[in-house]
Amino acid sequence: MHFEYPPKAKELQSRLREFMDRHVVPANKIWLREVEAGSAAPRVVEDLKALARSEGLWNLFLPDLHEDEPGTRLTNLEYAPLAEIMGRIQWASEVFNCSAPDTGNMELLHMFGSPEQRKQWLKPLLDGEIRSCFAMTEPDVASSDATNIATVIARDGDDYVINGRKWFITGAAHPRCKVAVVMGVTNPDAEAHRRQSMVLAPMDTPGVEVVRNISVMNHYSPEGHCEVLFRNARTPRSNLLSEEGSGFALAQARLGPGRIHHCMRSIGQSELAFELMCERAQERRAFGKHLHDHGVVTEWIARSRCEIEQARLLVLKTAWLIDTYGAKAARHEISMIKAVVPTVHTNVLNRAIQTFGAMGLSPDTPLANLWTLGRALHIADGPDEVHLRAIGRQEIRKSRETLGAGAAYMTLP
């Protein structure tokens, strides 16, 4: 892979950093005040969205946009450093119309939506007029294995009828959330990976109920990680995405680039924590010397830098593989970044919090919130154990192809 970005990508990196420093970072206090006052859609975000779009910093993530669709048409590799820059402020991605789960849903609609679906839902999503959610995870089954999904999507005349309960559905509490991409079982008798389908369900559909916004580690997100109940909710059969039985394949297609986005935002948060840790280590004295003069703190700084660099390179390699060979060819690396990056994130945040001491636990720094985001990432989009299991199985399969070759290196008597 080539490590030099083209001029267009480097220019966007520079412009995005400047926009973040001039507009987003200073607005963080305003965003926090609005959220603490109960706003699920802080006004400051909408104001900044208009400014970002006017400056061409909009829809940075979709490489295959059509000429009449707004955006920059960057590859996954070119977008990755931009996701890192945006990730330093947890709400910044929405300013540039690059926030999850809208990015993944826009990709699904772009790749698999019918002309009518694209007109009704994709266009307003690309324009930032509405938001969406992705209803997959369920409370009653281990839905990290998508074949366990129990929500039923049954044909009834010209409609599908949805019955089931979903939870931790990001974005469902946002007042602009107008549509859910729902994954459920359409054919329980089919082969395990062909039982599920995805349908579009408008949030104002009778029978769709947002039950509650669930806190994550006692933190509430304004847009919500919600429990959503579907009780005899009807949606037209024309709202089927792709074809019946394609739900599992669609989920895999959606998660590849999405994990690049998640991981690079996470690396951006790790970088911010690292910078704060280094500053604190030079400002604070204990036992007669600055913190960085204590060997353990020096080691924390060194290990953090090594881990962040390693994680970033692995994510960039994965982005390059997706761009060059497709998500299916990169599935091994996609699992690896999903297992590696949350560990790096929480390791670095733990060290930064420890360097700050009690202040690191307080709302005076972003560290507690950043740690929470990292800890959640160990579970979100599939727990670490699922990805490590996939990686281990793949390595054993590869090893079987050359089984016994290691004997040549042995020096047994």
Side-chain angles (χ1 to χ4, degrees), residues 101-134:
D102 296 323
T103 50
N105 291 342
M106 283 188 260
E107 284 183 296
L108 276 179
L109 286 163
H110 204 267
M111 289 188 290
F112 305 108
S114 67
E116 293 76 16
Q117 291 167 353
R118 291 162 62 97
K119 180 180 178 181
Q120 184 175 7
W121 302 115
L122 179 59
K123 186 179 185 305
L125 281 168
L126 287 172
D127 288 337
E129 296 171 357
I130 66 171
R131 297 206 59 188
S132 61
C133 62
F134 185 67

PDB file of all heavy atoms in Angstrom, residues 101-134:
ATOM      1  N   PRO A 101     -25.408   5.974  12.944  1.00  0.00           N
ATOM      2  CA  PRO A 101     -25.455   4.904  11.945  1.00  0.00           C
ATOM      3  C   PRO A 101     -25.848   5.379  10.543  1.00  0.00           C
ATOM      4  O   PRO A 101     -26.035   4.545   9.656  1.00  0.00           O
ATOM      5  CB  PRO A 101     -26.543   3.988  12.506  1.00  0.00           C
ATOM      6  CG  PRO A 101     -27.508   4.936  13.153  1.00  0.00           C
ATOM      7  CD  PRO A 101     -26.658   6.043  13.743  1.00  0.00           C
ATOM      8  N   ASP A 102     -25.951   6.709  10.363  1.00  0.00           N
ATOM      9  CA  ASP A 102     -26.378   7.214   9.053  1.00  0.00           C
ATOM     10  C   ASP A 102     -25.413   6.818   7.944  1.00  0.00           C
ATOM     11  O   ASP A 102     -25.839   6.518   6.824  1.00  0.00           O
ATOM     12  CB  ASP A 102     -26.510   8.743   9.097  1.00  0.00           C
ATOM     13  CG  ASP A 102     -27.596   9.200  10.052  1.00  0.00           C
ATOM     14  OD1 ASP A 102     -28.629   8.522  10.128  1.00  0.00           O
ATOM     15  OD2 ASP A 102     -27.404  10.223  10.734  1.00  0.00           O
ATOM     16  N   THR A 103     -24.101   6.820   8.241  1.00  0.00           N
ATOM     17  CA  THR A 103     -23.129   6.483   7.202  1.00  0.00           C
ATOM     18  C   THR A 103     -23.390   5.075   6.663  1.00  0.00           C
ATOM     19  O   THR A 103     -23.446   4.864   5.449  1.00  0.00           O
ATOM     20  CB  THR A 103     -21.703   6.586   7.749  1.00  0.00           C
ATOM     21  OG1 THR A 103     -21.610   5.867   8.980  1.00  0.00           O
ATOM     22  CG2 THR A 103     -21.313   8.039   7.968  1.00  0.00           C
ATOM     23  N   GLY A 104     -23.553   4.111   7.573  1.00  0.00           N
ATOM     24  CA  GLY A 104     -23.805   2.739   7.132  1.00  0.00           C
ATOM     25  C   GLY A 104     -25.121   2.593   6.401  1.00  0.00           C
ATOM     26  O   GLY A 104     -25.217   1.859   5.405  1.00  0.00           O
ATOM     27  N   ASN A 105     -26.138   3.284   6.872  1.00  0.00           N
ATOM     28  CA  ASN A 105     -27.444   3.211   6.215  1.00  0.00           C
ATOM     29  C   ASN A 105     -27.407   3.857   4.834  1.00  0.00           C
ATOM     30  O   ASN A 105     -28.040   3.369   3.890  1.00  0.00           O
ATOM     31  CB  ASN A 105     -28.502   3.867   7.096  1.00  0.00           C
ATOM     32  CG  ASN A 105     -28.780   3.071   8.356  1.00  0.00           C
ATOM     33  OD1 ASN A 105     -28.447   1.885   8.446  1.00  0.00           O
ATOM     34  ND2 ASN A 105     -29.376   3.714   9.347  1.00  0.00           N
ATOM     35  N   MET A 106     -26.670   4.954   4.716  1.00  0.00           N
ATOM     36  CA  MET A 106     -26.530   5.576   3.399  1.00  0.00           C
ATOM     37  C   MET A 106     -25.795   4.645   2.437  1.00  0.00           C
ATOM     38  O   MET A 106     -26.136   4.561   1.254  1.00  0.00           O
ATOM     39  CB  MET A 106     -25.807   6.920   3.523  1.00  0.00           C
ATOM     40  CG  MET A 106     -26.692   8.043   4.041  1.00  0.00           C
ATOM     41  SD  MET A 106     -25.877   9.665   3.957  1.00  0.00           S
ATOM     42  CE  MET A 106     -25.326   9.867   5.644  1.00  0.00           C
ATOM     43  N   GLU A 107     -24.780   3.944   2.948  1.00  0.00           N
ATOM     44  CA  GLU A 107     -24.074   2.977   2.103  1.00  0.00           C
ATOM     45  C   GLU A 107     -25.007   1.868   1.639  1.00  0.00           C
ATOM     46  O   GLU A 107     -24.983   1.460   0.475  1.00  0.00           O
ATOM     47  CB  GLU A 107     -22.885   2.398   2.858  1.00  0.00           C
ATOM     48  CG  GLU A 107     -21.715   3.362   2.945  1.00  0.00           C
ATOM     49  CD  GLU A 107     -20.511   2.750   3.626  1.00  0.00           C
ATOM     50  OE1 GLU A 107     -20.608   2.432   4.819  1.00  0.00           O
ATOM     51  OE2 GLU A 107     -19.478   2.591   2.957  1.00  0.00           O
ATOM     52  N   LEU A 108     -25.833   1.359   2.556  1.00  0.00           N
ATOM     53  CA  LEU A 108     -26.789   0.316   2.185  1.00  0.00           C
ATOM     54  C   LEU A 108     -27.741   0.805   1.099  1.00  0.00           C
ATOM     55  O   LEU A 108     -27.973   0.118   0.098  1.00  0.00           O
ATOM     56  CB  LEU A 108     -27.606  -0.117   3.411  1.00  0.00           C
ATOM     57  CG  LEU A 108     -27.010  -1.160   4.342  1.00  0.00           C
ATOM     58  CD1 LEU A 108     -27.969  -1.428   5.502  1.00  0.00           C
ATOM     59  CD2 LEU A 108     -26.709  -2.466   3.611  1.00  0.00           C
ATOM     60  N   LEU A 109     -28.308   1.970   1.307  1.00  0.00           N
ATOM     61  CA  LEU A 109     -29.254   2.513   0.331  1.00  0.00           C
ATOM     62  C   LEU A 109     -28.562   2.809  -0.994  1.00  0.00           C
ATOM     63  O   LEU A 109     -29.143   2.623  -2.065  1.00  0.00           O
ATOM     64  CB  LEU A 109     -29.913   3.771   0.889  1.00  0.00           C
ATOM     65  CG  LEU A 109     -30.969   3.535   1.973  1.00  0.00           C
ATOM     66  CD1 LEU A 109     -31.249   4.816   2.746  1.00  0.00           C
ATOM     67  CD2 LEU A 109     -32.256   2.982   1.361  1.00  0.00           C
ATOM     68  N   HIS A 110     -27.323   3.266  -0.925  1.00  0.00           N
ATOM     69  CA  HIS A 110     -26.590   3.589  -2.139  1.00  0.00           C
ATOM     70  C   HIS A 110     -26.287   2.340  -2.951  1.00  0.00           C
ATOM     71  O   HIS A 110     -26.390   2.339  -4.185  1.00  0.00           O
ATOM     72  CB  HIS A 110     -25.293   4.317  -1.779  1.00  0.00           C
ATOM     73  CG  HIS A 110     -24.763   5.161  -2.887  1.00  0.00           C
ATOM     74  ND1 HIS A 110     -23.840   4.711  -3.804  1.00  0.00           N
ATOM     75  CD2 HIS A 110     -25.045   6.445  -3.242  1.00  0.00           C
ATOM     76  CE1 HIS A 110     -23.569   5.662  -4.660  1.00  0.00           C
ATOM     77  NE2 HIS A 110     -24.277   6.729  -4.351  1.00  0.00           N
ATOM     78  N   MET A 111     -25.952   1.250  -2.248  1.00  0.00           N
ATOM     79  CA  MET A 111     -25.581   0.014  -2.938  1.00  0.00           C
ATOM     80  C   MET A 111     -26.789  -0.827  -3.338  1.00  0.00           C
ATOM     81  O   MET A 111     -26.802  -1.452  -4.399  1.00  0.00           O
ATOM     82  CB  MET A 111     -24.660  -0.823  -2.046  1.00  0.00           C
ATOM     83  CG  MET A 111     -23.267  -0.258  -1.875  1.00  0.00           C
ATOM     84  SD  MET A 111     -22.150  -1.402  -0.997  1.00  0.00           S
ATOM     85  CE  MET A 111     -22.842  -1.364   0.666  1.00  0.00           C
ATOM     86  N   PHE A 112     -27.825  -0.843  -2.483  1.00  0.00           N
ATOM     87  CA  PHE A 112     -28.887  -1.822  -2.661  1.00  0.00           C
ATOM     88  C   PHE A 112     -30.296  -1.228  -2.752  1.00  0.00           C
ATOM     89  O   PHE A 112     -31.252  -1.957  -3.000  1.00  0.00           O
ATOM     90  CB  PHE A 112     -28.872  -2.834  -1.499  1.00  0.00           C
ATOM     91  CG  PHE A 112     -27.543  -3.505  -1.310  1.00  0.00           C
ATOM     92  CD1 PHE A 112     -26.733  -3.198  -0.229  1.00  0.00           C
ATOM     93  CD2 PHE A 112     -27.090  -4.442  -2.228  1.00  0.00           C
ATOM     94  CE1 PHE A 112     -25.500  -3.817  -0.053  1.00  0.00           C
ATOM     95  CE2 PHE A 112     -25.863  -5.067  -2.062  1.00  0.00           C
ATOM     96  CZ  PHE A 112     -25.069  -4.753  -0.975  1.00  0.00           C
ATOM     97  N   GLY A 113     -30.446   0.074  -2.549  1.00  0.00           N
ATOM     98  CA  GLY A 113     -31.772   0.673  -2.556  1.00  0.00           C
ATOM     99  C   GLY A 113     -32.365   0.758  -3.951  1.00  0.00           C
ATOM    100  O   GLY A 113     -31.654   0.939  -4.947  1.00  0.00           O
ATOM    101  N   SER A 114     -33.671   0.638  -4.038  1.00  0.00           N
ATOM    102  CA  SER A 114     -34.369   0.837  -5.305  1.00  0.00           C
ATOM    103  C   SER A 114     -34.395   2.330  -5.620  1.00  0.00           C
ATOM    104  O   SER A 114     -34.139   3.168  -4.743  1.00  0.00           O
ATOM    105  CB  SER A 114     -35.804   0.319  -5.189  1.00  0.00           C
ATOM    106  OG  SER A 114     -36.550   1.131  -4.281  1.00  0.00           O
ATOM    107  N   PRO A 115     -34.689   2.701  -6.864  1.00  0.00           N
ATOM    108  CA  PRO A 115     -34.776   4.131  -7.192  1.00  0.00           C
ATOM    109  C   PRO A 115     -35.741   4.881  -6.277  1.00  0.00           C
ATOM    110  O   PRO A 115     -35.460   6.022  -5.866  1.00  0.00           O
ATOM    111  CB  PRO A 115     -35.257   4.135  -8.647  1.00  0.00           C
ATOM    112  CG  PRO A 115     -34.749   2.838  -9.211  1.00  0.00           C
ATOM    113  CD  PRO A 115     -34.850   1.854  -8.075  1.00  0.00           C
ATOM    114  N   GLU A 116     -36.877   4.247  -5.945  1.00  0.00           N
ATOM    115  CA  GLU A 116     -37.857   4.897  -5.066  1.00  0.00           C
ATOM    116  C   GLU A 116     -37.298   5.057  -3.656  1.00  0.00           C
ATOM    117  O   GLU A 116     -37.486   6.104  -3.008  1.00  0.00           O
ATOM    118  CB  GLU A 116     -39.156   4.083  -5.024  1.00  0.00           C
ATOM    119  CG  GLU A 116     -39.920   4.046  -6.345  1.00  0.00           C
ATOM    120  CD  GLU A 116     -39.289   3.099  -7.370  1.00  0.00           C
ATOM    121  OE1 GLU A 116     -38.444   2.245  -6.969  1.00  0.00           O
ATOM    122  OE2 GLU A 116     -39.619   3.222  -8.567  1.00  0.00           O
ATOM    123  N   GLN A 117     -36.621   4.034  -3.140  1.00  0.00           N
ATOM    124  CA  GLN A 117     -36.037   4.105  -1.802  1.00  0.00           C
ATOM    125  C   GLN A 117     -34.942   5.162  -1.738  1.00  0.00           C
ATOM    126  O   GLN A 117     -34.840   5.899  -0.747  1.00  0.00           O
ATOM    127  CB  GLN A 117     -35.467   2.738  -1.410  1.00  0.00           C
ATOM    128  CG  GLN A 117     -36.519   1.673  -1.174  1.00  0.00           C
ATOM    129  CD  GLN A 117     -35.921   0.280  -1.091  1.00  0.00           C
ATOM    130  OE1 GLN A 117     -34.731   0.075  -1.344  1.00  0.00           O
ATOM    131  NE2 GLN A 117     -36.745  -0.701  -0.739  1.00  0.00           N
ATOM    132  N   ARG A 118     -34.157   5.238  -2.788  1.00  0.00           N
ATOM    133  CA  ARG A 118     -33.086   6.229  -2.813  1.00  0.00           C
ATOM    134  C   ARG A 118     -33.658   7.653  -2.828  1.00  0.00           C
ATOM    135  O   ARG A 118     -33.142   8.548  -2.151  1.00  0.00           O
ATOM    136  CB  ARG A 118     -32.192   6.006  -4.028  1.00  0.00           C
ATOM    137  CG  ARG A 118     -31.363   4.727  -3.948  1.00  0.00           C
ATOM    138  CD  ARG A 118     -30.843   4.321  -5.321  1.00  0.00           C
ATOM    139  NE  ARG A 118     -29.962   5.307  -5.882  1.00  0.00           N
ATOM    140  CZ  ARG A 118     -28.627   5.268  -5.816  1.00  0.00           C
ATOM    141  NH1 ARG A 118     -28.044   4.262  -5.196  1.00  0.00           N
ATOM    142  NH2 ARG A 118     -27.891   6.198  -6.367  1.00  0.00           N
ATOM    143  N   LYS A 119     -34.742   7.838  -3.597  1.00  0.00           N
ATOM    144  CA  LYS A 119     -35.362   9.163  -3.661  1.00  0.00           C
ATOM    145  C   LYS A 119     -35.994   9.538  -2.324  1.00  0.00           C
ATOM    146  O   LYS A 119     -35.847  10.680  -1.854  1.00  0.00           O
ATOM    147  CB  LYS A 119     -36.419   9.187  -4.762  1.00  0.00           C
ATOM    148  CG  LYS A 119     -37.117  10.533  -4.909  1.00  0.00           C
ATOM    149  CD  LYS A 119     -38.156  10.492  -6.023  1.00  0.00           C
ATOM    150  CE  LYS A 119     -38.881  11.821  -6.148  1.00  0.00           C
ATOM    151  NZ  LYS A 119     -39.913  11.785  -7.233  1.00  0.00           N
ATOM    152  N   GLN A 120     -36.692   8.576  -1.690  1.00  0.00           N
ATOM    153  CA  GLN A 120     -37.425   8.883  -0.463  1.00  0.00           C
ATOM    154  C   GLN A 120     -36.512   9.029   0.748  1.00  0.00           C
ATOM    155  O   GLN A 120     -36.751   9.893   1.609  1.00  0.00           O
ATOM    156  CB  GLN A 120     -38.456   7.784  -0.181  1.00  0.00           C
ATOM    157  CG  GLN A 120     -39.328   8.087   1.042  1.00  0.00           C
ATOM    158  CD  GLN A 120     -40.416   7.054   1.241  1.00  0.00           C
ATOM    159  OE1 GLN A 120     -40.469   6.022   0.552  1.00  0.00           O
ATOM    160  NE2 GLN A 120     -41.301   7.298   2.192  1.00  0.00           N
ATOM    161  N   TRP A 121     -35.452   8.190   0.834  1.00  0.00           N
ATOM    162  CA  TRP A 121     -34.659   8.153   2.051  1.00  0.00           C
ATOM    163  C   TRP A 121     -33.201   8.556   1.855  1.00  0.00           C
ATOM    164  O   TRP A 121     -32.638   9.258   2.701  1.00  0.00           O
ATOM    165  CB  TRP A 121     -34.721   6.748   2.673  1.00  0.00           C
ATOM    166  CG  TRP A 121     -36.109   6.298   2.987  1.00  0.00           C
ATOM    167  CD1 TRP A 121     -36.802   5.271   2.429  1.00  0.00           C
ATOM    168  CD2 TRP A 121     -37.006   6.889   3.937  1.00  0.00           C
ATOM    169  NE1 TRP A 121     -38.054   5.171   2.956  1.00  0.00           N
ATOM    170  CE2 TRP A 121     -38.217   6.151   3.895  1.00  0.00           C
ATOM    171  CE3 TRP A 121     -36.910   7.965   4.821  1.00  0.00           C
ATOM    172  CZ2 TRP A 121     -39.303   6.454   4.703  1.00  0.00           C
ATOM    173  CZ3 TRP A 121     -37.991   8.276   5.637  1.00  0.00           C
ATOM    174  CH2 TRP A 121     -39.170   7.521   5.572  1.00  0.00           C
ATOM    175  N   LEU A 122     -32.576   8.092   0.768  1.00  0.00           N
ATOM    176  CA  LEU A 122     -31.155   8.395   0.606  1.00  0.00           C
ATOM    177  C   LEU A 122     -30.916   9.879   0.360  1.00  0.00           C
ATOM    178  O   LEU A 122     -30.001  10.470   0.953  1.00  0.00           O
ATOM    179  CB  LEU A 122     -30.561   7.562  -0.538  1.00  0.00           C
ATOM    180  CG  LEU A 122     -29.081   7.812  -0.832  1.00  0.00           C
ATOM    181  CD1 LEU A 122     -28.212   7.525   0.393  1.00  0.00           C
ATOM    182  CD2 LEU A 122     -28.605   6.973  -2.021  1.00  0.00           C
ATOM    183  N   LYS A 123     -31.706  10.484  -0.504  1.00  0.00           N
ATOM    184  CA  LYS A 123     -31.480  11.895  -0.822  1.00  0.00           C
ATOM    185  C   LYS A 123     -31.550  12.784   0.424  1.00  0.00           C
ATOM    186  O   LYS A 123     -30.631  13.584   0.668  1.00  0.00           O
ATOM    187  CB  LYS A 123     -32.465  12.377  -1.883  1.00  0.00           C
ATOM    188  CG  LYS A 123     -32.176  13.800  -2.356  1.00  0.00           C
ATOM    189  CD  LYS A 123     -33.140  14.266  -3.415  1.00  0.00           C
ATOM    190  CE  LYS A 123     -32.733  15.642  -3.955  1.00  0.00           C
ATOM    191  NZ  LYS A 123     -32.599  16.647  -2.881  1.00  0.00           N
ATOM    192  N   PRO A 124     -32.617  12.681   1.247  1.00  0.00           N
ATOM    193  CA  PRO A 124     -32.630  13.536   2.450  1.00  0.00           C
ATOM    194  C   PRO A 124     -31.535  13.188   3.454  1.00  0.00           C
ATOM    195  O   PRO A 124     -31.082  14.060   4.202  1.00  0.00           O
ATOM    196  CB  PRO A 124     -34.027  13.316   3.034  1.00  0.00           C
ATOM    197  CG  PRO A 124     -34.540  12.068   2.421  1.00  0.00           C
ATOM    198  CD  PRO A 124     -33.900  11.954   1.083  1.00  0.00           C
ATOM    199  N   LEU A 125     -31.080  11.922   3.470  1.00  0.00           N
ATOM    200  CA  LEU A 125     -29.951  11.574   4.338  1.00  0.00           C
ATOM    201  C   LEU A 125     -28.668  12.221   3.832  1.00  0.00           C
ATOM    202  O   LEU A 125     -27.887  12.783   4.617  1.00  0.00           O
ATOM    203  CB  LEU A 125     -29.780  10.052   4.411  1.00  0.00           C
ATOM    204  CG  LEU A 125     -30.730   9.305   5.349  1.00  0.00           C
ATOM    205  CD1 LEU A 125     -30.652   7.804   5.100  1.00  0.00           C
ATOM    206  CD2 LEU A 125     -30.416   9.619   6.814  1.00  0.00           C
ATOM    207  N   LEU A 126     -28.432  12.165   2.528  1.00  0.00           N
ATOM    208  CA  LEU A 126     -27.245  12.797   1.965  1.00  0.00           C
ATOM    209  C   LEU A 126     -27.269  14.309   2.162  1.00  0.00           C
ATOM    210  O   LEU A 126     -26.226  14.952   2.297  1.00  0.00           O
ATOM    211  CB  LEU A 126     -27.133  12.474   0.466  1.00  0.00           C
ATOM    212  CG  LEU A 126     -26.720  11.051   0.095  1.00  0.00           C
ATOM    213  CD1 LEU A 126     -26.857  10.842  -1.413  1.00  0.00           C
ATOM    214  CD2 LEU A 126     -25.294  10.757   0.540  1.00  0.00           C
ATOM    215  N   ASP A 127     -28.453  14.886   2.179  1.00  0.00           N
ATOM    216  CA  ASP A 127     -28.592  16.326   2.379  1.00  0.00           C
ATOM    217  C   ASP A 127     -28.584  16.720   3.856  1.00  0.00           C
ATOM    218  O   ASP A 127     -28.633  17.915   4.169  1.00  0.00           O
ATOM    219  CB  ASP A 127     -29.885  16.829   1.727  1.00  0.00           C
ATOM    220  CG  ASP A 127     -29.804  16.834   0.206  1.00  0.00           C
ATOM    221  OD1 ASP A 127     -28.667  16.888  -0.322  1.00  0.00           O
ATOM    222  OD2 ASP A 127     -30.857  16.767  -0.450  1.00  0.00           O
ATOM    223  N   GLY A 128     -28.552  15.729   4.755  1.00  0.00           N
ATOM    224  CA  GLY A 128     -28.526  16.020   6.187  1.00  0.00           C
ATOM    225  C   GLY A 128     -29.840  16.524   6.739  1.00  0.00           C
ATOM    226  O   GLY A 128     -29.879  17.109   7.825  1.00  0.00           O
ATOM    227  N   GLU A 129     -30.928  16.299   6.000  1.00  0.00           N
ATOM    228  CA  GLU A 129     -32.236  16.784   6.446  1.00  0.00           C
ATOM    229  C   GLU A 129     -32.874  15.849   7.469  1.00  0.00           C
ATOM    230  O   GLU A 129     -33.682  16.282   8.287  1.00  0.00           O
ATOM    231  CB  GLU A 129     -33.170  16.929   5.242  1.00  0.00           C
ATOM    232  CG  GLU A 129     -32.696  17.975   4.235  1.00  0.00           C
ATOM    233  CD  GLU A 129     -33.527  17.938   2.962  1.00  0.00           C
ATOM    234  OE1 GLU A 129     -34.418  17.068   2.854  1.00  0.00           O
ATOM    235  OE2 GLU A 129     -33.282  18.779   2.074  1.00  0.00           O
ATOM    236  N   ILE A 130     -32.555  14.554   7.390  1.00  0.00           N
ATOM    237  CA  ILE A 130     -33.113  13.575   8.318  1.00  0.00           C
ATOM    238  C   ILE A 130     -31.979  12.724   8.856  1.00  0.00           C
ATOM    239  O   ILE A 130     -30.841  12.771   8.384  1.00  0.00           O
ATOM    240  CB  ILE A 130     -34.167  12.657   7.649  1.00  0.00           C
ATOM    241  CG1 ILE A 130     -33.499  11.769   6.570  1.00  0.00           C
ATOM    242  CG2 ILE A 130     -35.298  13.476   7.068  1.00  0.00           C
ATOM    243  CD1 ILE A 130     -34.420  10.692   6.028  1.00  0.00           C
ATOM    244  N   ARG A 131     -32.305  11.907   9.879  1.00  0.00           N
ATOM    245  CA  ARG A 131     -31.377  10.913  10.394  1.00  0.00           C
ATOM    246  C   ARG A 131     -32.074   9.552  10.375  1.00  0.00           C
ATOM    247  O   ARG A 131     -33.262   9.445  10.054  1.00  0.00           O
ATOM    248  CB  ARG A 131     -30.877  11.290  11.779  1.00  0.00           C
ATOM    249  CG  ARG A 131     -30.077  12.605  11.769  1.00  0.00           C
ATOM    250  CD  ARG A 131     -29.082  12.668  12.896  1.00  0.00           C
ATOM    251  NE  ARG A 131     -28.136  11.572  12.813  1.00  0.00           N
ATOM    252  CZ  ARG A 131     -27.239  11.287  13.756  1.00  0.00           C
ATOM    253  NH1 ARG A 131     -27.199  12.034  14.855  1.00  0.00           N
ATOM    254  NH2 ARG A 131     -26.414  10.283  13.625  1.00  0.00           N
ATOM    255  N   SER A 132     -31.334   8.497  10.718  1.00  0.00           N
ATOM    256  CA  SER A 132     -31.858   7.138  10.625  1.00  0.00           C
ATOM    257  C   SER A 132     -31.275   6.289  11.744  1.00  0.00           C
ATOM    258  O   SER A 132     -30.363   6.716  12.461  1.00  0.00           O
ATOM    259  CB  SER A 132     -31.490   6.531   9.262  1.00  0.00           C
ATOM    260  OG  SER A 132     -30.076   6.469   9.122  1.00  0.00           O
ATOM    261  N   CYS A 133     -31.783   5.072  11.883  1.00  0.00           N
ATOM    262  CA  CYS A 133     -31.211   4.128  12.837  1.00  0.00           C
ATOM    263  C   CYS A 133     -31.155   2.742  12.202  1.00  0.00           C
ATOM    264  O   CYS A 133     -31.800   2.496  11.178  1.00  0.00           O
ATOM    265  CB  CYS A 133     -31.982   4.107  14.156  1.00  0.00           C
ATOM    266  SG  CYS A 133     -33.708   3.575  14.036  1.00  0.00           S
ATOM    267  N   PHE A 134     -30.377   1.862  12.806  1.00  0.00           N
ATOM    268  CA  PHE A 134     -30.170   0.514  12.296  1.00  0.00           C
ATOM    269  C   PHE A 134     -30.593  -0.458  13.389  1.00  0.00           C
ATOM    270  O   PHE A 134     -29.925  -0.576  14.420  1.00  0.00           O
ATOM    271  CB  PHE A 134     -28.698   0.307  11.921  1.00  0.00           C
ATOM    272  CG  PHE A 134     -28.408  -1.022  11.278  1.00  0.00           C
ATOM    273  CD1 PHE A 134     -28.905  -1.327  10.030  1.00  0.00           C
ATOM    274  CD2 PHE A 134     -27.626  -1.957  11.933  1.00  0.00           C
ATOM    275  CE1 PHE A 134     -28.632  -2.553   9.428  1.00  0.00           C
ATOM    276  CE2 PHE A 134     -27.340  -3.183  11.343  1.00  0.00           C
ATOM    277  CZ  PHE A 134     -27.848  -3.482  10.096  1.00  0.00           C
TER     278      PHE A 134
END
